[in-house]
Amino acid sequence: MKREDKFNELERKLKRWKTAAGNLPQKGSSGRTISGETLQPLYTPLDIKELDYERDLGFPGEYPYTRGVQGNMYRGRYWTMRQFSGFGDAYDSNRRYRYLLEEGQTGLSVAFDMPTIMGYDSDHQRSLGEVGRCGVAIDSLEDMEVLFENIPVDRVTTSMTINGPAAILWCMYLANAEKQGVRLDRVGGTIQNDILKEYIAQKSWIFPPEPSMRLITDIFAFAAQHVPAWNTISISGYHIREAGSTAVQELAFTLADGFAYVEAGIEAGLDVDDFAPRLSFFFNSHLDFFEEICKYRAARRIWARHMKERYGAKDPRSLKMRFHTQTAGCSLTAQEPENNIVRTTIEALAAVLGGTQSLHTNSMDEVLALPTEKAVKIALRTQQVIAHESGAANTVDPLAGSYFIESLTDKMEADAEEYFRRIEELGGVLKAIDMGFFQQEIADSAYIFQREVDRGERVVVGVNRYNSGEKPQIELLKIDPGVEKKQVDRLKKLKEKRDNSAVKAGLQELTKRAAGSDNLIPHILNAVKVYATEGEIIQALKEVFGEYREKPQF
Amino acid sequence: MTRKNVRVVIAKPGLDGHDRGARVVARALRDAGMEVIYTGLHQTPEQVAETALQEDAEVVGLSILSGAHMTLVPKIRELLKKNEMENVLLLVGGIIPEDDAAELIQSKMADAVFTPGDPLEKIISYIFEKGGKGD
């Protein structure tokens, strides 16, 4: 029988099956993904008729990288188990990091407190009540030195979730590495440094878009020359998803941001292959298991295709989308928090089957507070069980070829392409941000989702169904209320003992250079090395750059 | 008491930018017929109290996910009192541990605390029950 005839025959039989199945009871699953995408009850070879193995999937480590960016994936090396962590002052967090490393964690990931994220020193009026609360307080190089005391930065890579002031915290990290006697070309890690998603979703910005993009391309250029093993940006869908987007919106908006950074780098005069290999990504892993796996596969393929065809990248490393994954904080429930361990396990498994390079698993109590040591250990153990007991790491991209998986991967790629067209029509990412396009799309999705939960159309176990009404009986981490004062006192002492004329000169030089067009990283590094504080450096830049304001909408 | 046109200010005090909850709640209250003013992000306590005064708010909803609630909420309550707005219904939402919520309510710093998993309807009916100074 010819191929076409076989398909016709199959189509006929499928119709018969649909009629029969249509007459069966329909009391179970709604057939909709968590993103509201309606799925077929059954997928067959008809759904992947057009699939061309070499063109659309290929081999792992080869274009278009649908099946993974490394040739042998987890046979070669497991993903990095990297728990996002930080609280109190540098001493508290240093203790937690050493605990995690002792428990088998393989990389560090720093969570900063809100003042650090927003560019305020701990003694600033706006920092009142926020110091060390939802991350670690870092004001100067001195704090960074404490944070990494007895942690060898040439052997452990560190990811830092910092955006507006990324250049400053990165310079502190580099200065500390040099003090530890580590050459900059031996230092590895990641700064998030993704300002576009801040305007879109996470809303922790400092400067307006234009100077922010300049700092980012300055980092690209400086790293290409001096810190070649550093991931200069982690283009993030995580926060877009947490803000309420669908899976396709997360995919499309994140990649659109990625393309905007590539264009900014090219416009700044860089060769695409000089900086693109160090671009990395960061995705959410939500509860809809298969949709998430397809999202990662589609993301790799879209990135490779655009980088090659649109931006003319030639270095294979420029085409490979490497990404970190964090399980979905927004999927956790305050009610019966132990259930969150199960949710996180499902999400972590999706990330692994989707080929992530590193993973953070949320702790069950993170919807209530920062995690306790016990909760974070269970979260880390979840990854270790998946890696070493479940068998999920044995085979590369094990779900490939599934009618459903390939069909949904294609669909998500096509839907993302449709978003790229719309963004292009609006005049690009920055224009679309300015018009509130992304923000509104996300707010709409979040609202629709919440309404469905409230109406009981979506079941959240332990919340709107199967709720025992018991109060959670778990211990929560308390942040020492004395941290703020301790940190402010340390900062005061630092300002007394450092060479204040060198600080002043460094800051004045920085303001001067900011008004011109030089790469600012060497000047920030100089200021950091004489112990200028983060807040002072930000202020020196604000004088030229100004501040960003968003028009409130809902 | 089910009075429509209740004037509500939804505010994001402090430095955290997590505005999903604030925006979803703002929209739900508007859809329920209330007049909703959203301050936008990164507000100081002074700015929140000033907006409440300017907008003649009967209800102020604070969304805080940064852990700074024990500092920010009492500060805003105090400033509202200074503006002779002691009758304002002060609601708090976000990541608020239960002990803290109990303390805020007991000390009358907040009138009610809503946390993840609470349905929008609960907030709406609470406001309609308690909100407003009369018909």
Side-chain angles (χ1 to χ4, degrees):
Chain A
M1 213 191 276
K2 280 197 301 201
R3 190 168 179 265
E4 227 14 73
D5 292 339
K6 271 192 175 174
F7 280 133
N8 288 338
E9 172 75 4
L10 197 55
E11 194 128 18
R12 202 175 52 76
K13 289 185 172 163
L14 180 65
K15 252 189 203 146
R16 192 197 59 201
W17 174 85
K18 273 185 184 160
T19 314
N23 292 329
L24 297 173
Q26 313 282 337
K27 290 185 209 150
S29 161
S30 72
R32 289 170 72 227
T33 70
I34 205 160
S35 302
E37 180 75 27
T38 301
L39 300 176
Q40 298 168 203
L42 186 78
Y43 288 78
T44 69
L46 291 169
D47 294 297
I48 55 167
K49 262 200 298 200
E50 309 299 326
L51 186 80
D52 178 326
Y53 183 83
E54 295 211 31
R55 183 195 63 198
D56 300 325
L57 303 181
F59 286 87
E62 292 176 19
Y63 189 81
Y65 304 100
T66 314
R67 308 204 62 185
V69 290
Q70 288 111 2
N72 57 354
M73 288 304 289
Y74 306 133
R75 288 280 184 119
R77 182 173 162 275
Y78 286 108
W79 62 92
T80 304
M81 299 180 192
R82 198 189 287 284
Q83 297 295 96
F84 184 43
S85 165
F87 63 91
D89 64 12
Y91 293 95
D92 298 324
S93 294
N94 175 264
R95 269 192 299 277
R96 175 65 70 90
Y97 294 164
R98 288 196 275 167
Y99 169 80
L100 286 166
L101 291 169
E102 276 160 25
E103 289 297 328
Q105 176 168 290
T106 48
L108 293 174
S109 174
V110 181
F112 296 102
D113 68 357
M114 284 315 306
T116 307
I117 287 171
M118 295 298 291
Y120 295 109
D121 283 339
S122 298
D123 59 359
H124 194 279
Q125 203 202 344
R126 298 230 47 179
S127 305
L128 197 67
E130 313 239 22
V131 176
R133 283 277 152 189
C134 64
V136 59
I138 300 292
D139 292 317
S140 72
L141 174 58
E142 188 182 54
D143 294 328
M144 195 63 95
E145 290 163 7
V146 173
L147 191 62
F148 288 95
E149 209 171 324
N150 292 318
I151 295 172
V153 296
D154 52 343
R155 275 182 284 143
V156 174
T157 60
T158 302
S159 172
M160 292 191 280
T161 298
I162 193 77
N163 295 279
I168 301 165
L169 275 298
W170 186 47
C171 284
M172 287 181 189
Y173 191 84
L174 297 181
N176 177 56
E178 281 185 337
K179 286 195 123 184
Q180 279 194 9
V182 179
R183 282 174 28 194
L184 292 189
D185 59 3
R186 308 290 303 241
V187 181
T190 306
I191 36 176
Q192 195 162 80
N193 197 26
D194 172 10
I195 201 68
L196 293 175
K197 70 90 176 52
E198 294 297 335
Y199 302 129
I200 292 174
Q202 166 95 341
K203 316 289 177 86
S204 296
W205 50 66
I206 299 174
F207 310 120
E210 203 179 309
S212 294
M213 292 301 270
R214 170 185 171 190
L215 280 169
I216 290 167
T217 50
D218 282 356
I219 290 170
F220 288 174
F222 187 86
Q225 220 179 341
H226 304 286
V227 206
W230 195 273
N231 297 312
T232 51
I233 193 166
S234 174
I235 304 159
S236 307
Y238 184 81
H239 319 82
I240 293 173
R241 192 68 180 279
E242 288 291 301
S245 84
T246 64
V248 164
Q249 287 168 342
E250 178 194 357
L251 173 67
F253 298 171
T254 309
L255 276 113
D257 287 349
F259 301 141
Y261 291 120
V262 169
E263 287 165 21
I266 293 171
E267 264 168 45
L270 303 172
D271 184 304
V272 66
D273 284 324
D274 282 344
F275 67 93
R278 299 317 303 174
L279 305 180
S280 64
F281 287 81
F282 172 23
F283 288 109
N284 199 299
S285 192
H286 213 298
L287 275 165
D288 201 299
F289 189 68
F290 296 110
E291 187 174 52
E292 293 302 282
I293 293 167
C294 296
K295 180 184 76 185
Y296 306 122
R297 300 176 83 248
R300 277 193 295 268
R301 189 161 70 199
I302 295 170
W303 183 249
R305 284 178 172 165
H306 281 250
M307 289 305 286
K308 187 175 172 181
E309 288 158 23
R310 232 166 106 191
Y311 301 112
K314 292 187 181 65
D315 186 336
R317 293 176 308 152
S318 303
L319 313 179
K320 291 184 189 182
M321 166 182 278
R322 296 167 301 121
F323 65 93
H324 172 69
T325 306
Q326 178 169 340
T327 55
C330 62
S331 72
L332 305 184
T333 66
Q335 295 75 8
E336 304 184 15
E338 294 88 347
N339 299 343
N340 294 330
I341 298 173
V342 182
R343 295 190 174 96
T344 297
T345 306
I346 294 168
E347 295 164 352
L349 189 56
V352 168
L353 294 176
T356 195
Q357 275 59 63
S358 64
L359 180 60
H360 164 103
T361 32
N362 288 324
S363 303
M364 61 171 159
D365 53 356
E366 282 184 76
V367 65
L368 301 162
L370 292 192
T372 61
E373 218 161 75
K374 182 181 171 195
V376 83
K377 186 161 153 184
I378 294 172
L380 176 60
R381 293 287 183 260
T382 304
Q383 295 198 38
Q384 291 162 338
V385 168
I386 291 172
H388 304 291
E389 297 182 21
S390 77
N394 286 335
T395 302
V396 178
D397 190 26
L399 297 181
S402 147
Y403 310 127
F404 170 41
I405 289 288
E406 296 303 352
S407 167
L408 186 56
T409 303
D410 288 350
K411 171 88 172 43
M412 292 180 85
E413 180 178 6
D415 289 350
E417 291 288 348
E418 181 53 35
Y419 263 123
F420 300 150
R421 269 188 294 276
R422 283 175 68 186
I423 294 162
E424 194 76 20
E425 270 171 26
L426 296 174
V429 169
L430 286 176
K431 281 259 172 58
I433 287 172
D434 200 40
M435 295 164 64
F437 169 72
F438 301 106
Q439 299 91 316
Q440 201 57 52
E441 286 279 309
I442 295 167
D444 289 348
S445 300
Y447 191 59
I448 291 167
F449 182 84
Q450 191 57 44
R451 278 301 193 187
E452 289 177 358
V453 170
D454 280 4
R455 283 199 292 260
E457 292 164 12
R458 283 189 185 278
V459 176
V460 183
V461 173
V463 178
N464 64 1
R465 203 179 292 181
Y466 316 114
N467 183 346
S468 59
E470 289 162 21
K471 295 275 174 211
Q473 298 289 334
I474 63 171
E475 198 189 323
L476 295 182
L477 182 81
K478 290 258 185 228
I479 306 292
D480 173 10
V483 159
E484 190 159 311
K485 186 173 180 302
K486 229 164 73 187
Q487 183 66 17
V488 171
D489 288 347
R490 262 162 55 76
L491 184 57
K492 193 166 162 239
K493 279 204 194 96
L494 173 79
K495 285 182 180 170
E496 281 163 10
K497 72 183 176 197
R498 66 183 184 180
D499 178 351
N500 277 305
S501 61
V503 170
K504 200 174 162 203
L507 294 171
Q508 278 171 352
E509 181 67 14
L510 183 58
T511 302
K512 201 176 103 196
R513 300 286 176 163
S517 62
D518 290 355
N519 189 318
L520 292 176
I521 305 304
H523 304 288
I524 295 174
L525 198 51
N526 285 341
V528 159
K529 282 180 178 169
V530 294
Y531 295 90
T533 65
E534 185 205 10
E536 290 167 338
I537 295 172
I538 288 288
Q539 198 47 50
L541 292 171
K542 266 185 192 170
E543 281 175 31
V544 179
F545 292 166
E547 284 180 73
Y548 182 72
R549 295 254 178 267
E550 182 193 54
K551 187 165 102 310
Q553 57 177 25
F554 62 88
Chain B
M1 177 207 314
T2 305
R3 191 170 60 88
K4 294 292 177 181
N5 73 333
V6 183
R7 291 182 68 79
V8 184
V9 167
I10 297 289
K12 280 289 303 174
L15 297 176
D16 93 88
H18 301 92
D19 61 357
R20 175 177 180 168
R23 285 159 48 136
V24 165
V25 170
R27 206 145 146 181
L29 300 186
R30 187 183 62 194
D31 287 357
M34 303 180 202
E35 284 181 41
V36 181
I37 299 99
Y38 172 49
T39 62
L41 291 163
H42 311 140
Q43 302 286 300
T44 62
E46 288 78 10
Q47 286 170 321
V48 175
E50 181 60 23
T51 306
L53 183 67
Q54 292 300 326
E55 300 291 345
D56 192 22
E58 295 155 84
V59 181
V60 174
L62 306 175
S63 165
I64 306 171
L65 289 89
S66 68
H69 47 272
M70 297 310 276
T71 308
L72 293 172
V73 177
K75 187 100 207 249
I76 290 169
R77 179 63 109 190
E78 184 193 315
L79 290 164
L80 287 170
K81 272 188 191 156
K82 261 194 203 150
N83 287 349
E84 298 182 347
M85 298 185 81
E86 45 273 288
N87 292 329
V88 160
L89 207 55
L90 190 62
L91 314 182
V92 182
I95 303 284
I96 316 287
E98 205 176 327
D99 293 353
D100 292 352
E103 196 179 323
L104 287 172
I105 289 171
Q106 214 195 346
S107 60
K108 298 204 177 349
M109 288 301 147
D111 293 291
V113 176
F114 299 97
T115 48
D118 279 336
L120 295 168
E121 202 44 55
K122 187 171 163 189
I123 305 173
I124 294 168
S125 53
Y126 180 87
I127 293 175
F128 278 145
E129 239 168 70
K130 309 256 177 171
K133 297 164 205 157
D135 279 307

